[in-house]
Amino acid sequence: MLFEHPDAREQLEEECRALLGGRVPGVDTFPRLGYTRRVIEEVLRLYPPTWLTARMPVEDDTLAGYTIPAGAIVLLSPYVTHRHPAVWDAPEVFDPDRFAPARAAARPTLAYFPFGGGPHHCIGSAFATTEMQLIVVSVAQRYRLTRVRDVRVIPTAGLTLRPSSAVPSRLHRVRAG
C-alpha cells in the first residue's frame, strides 16, 4: 500500500527512525508513534482482514423498518462499510489522518470495525494490532521496501482479504539516522 503513497511512507519511516534512534521498539514506544498507528488503521480500513462476517439473530428484530427474523443470516462487511461515502469523506483516498483523534471521535460508532464489533469483537485484535505495529516499526527503522516490478496489487476475497498474487519486493537497508 505504501508503494503508492511515498509521502506517507517517508513520514512513517522518519517517525520510526527519529523516535527510536535504532533501538528495538517496545510496547512503551507505541503511544509516541501516532502517525505509524494511523497508517496501520487506514490500511485496515481499506483492506480489513475479515472483509465479511455473518450473524444470526436469536429473536426477531427490526432494523430501519426491515424485519429480520430469528435465525436469518445477516452479512456485515467492513470492506463495504469502510468505503461508504455516507460515513467517510473521500472513502477511496488513502488518508491516515482521518484517524487523528479529533476526526476519529466524530465518526459514528462501528463505522470502523476491521476486527468486528460489540460482543463479537475479535479477542485477539489488541494482540494483532500490537504485532502489526512491532513489525512495521522494526522494518521501517532499518529498511525501505520497494516493488521489484510495477505490479498492481489486487485484493482477493477468501477467508481473509489478501493480495491476488505475490508482490515481488526488495528490502533496501537504510543507514541509521
Side-chain angles (χ1 to χ4, degrees), residues 24 30 55 69 78 87 99 104 108 132 158 170-171:
V24 175
F30 294 150
R55 297 289 183 254
V87 178
F99 287 94
M132 282 183 267
R170 178 171 288 135
L171 280 177

Side-chain angles (χ1 to χ4, degrees), residues 32-82:
R32 297 180 305 162
L33 296 165
Y35 188 75
T36 301
R37 174 66 184 249
R38 292 194 305 273
V39 166
I40 291 169
E41 290 175 330
E42 180 66 346
V43 170
L44 288 172
R45 181 187 72 83
L46 290 168
Y47 301 102
T50 304
W51 65 279
L52 185 68
T53 189
R55 297 289 183 254
M56 293 176 61
V58 294
E59 58 186 43
D60 291 353
D61 203 350
T62 303
L63 180 65
Y66 294 95
T67 301
I68 303 170
I73 296 175
V74 178
L75 298 176
L76 306 167
S77 177
Y79 185 88
V80 172
T81 303
H82 293 173

Side-chain angles (χ1 to χ4, degrees), residues 84-95:
H84 200 291
V87 178
W88 302 93
D89 292 331
E92 297 297 327
V93 172
F94 182 77
D95 177 13

Side-chain angles (χ1 to χ4, degrees), residues 149-166:
R149 296 186 298 275
D150 191 23
V151 176
R152 185 163 176 244
V153 180
I154 301 169
T156 296
L159 181 58
T160 59
L161 197 60
R162 65 186 188 290
S164 61
S165 61

Side-chain angles (χ1 to χ4, degrees), residues 3-4 146-153 166-169:
F3 294 128
E4 299 165 357
T146 58
R147 281 187 282 198
V148 172
R149 296 186 298 275
D150 191 23
V151 176
R152 185 163 176 244
V153 180
V167 181
S169 304

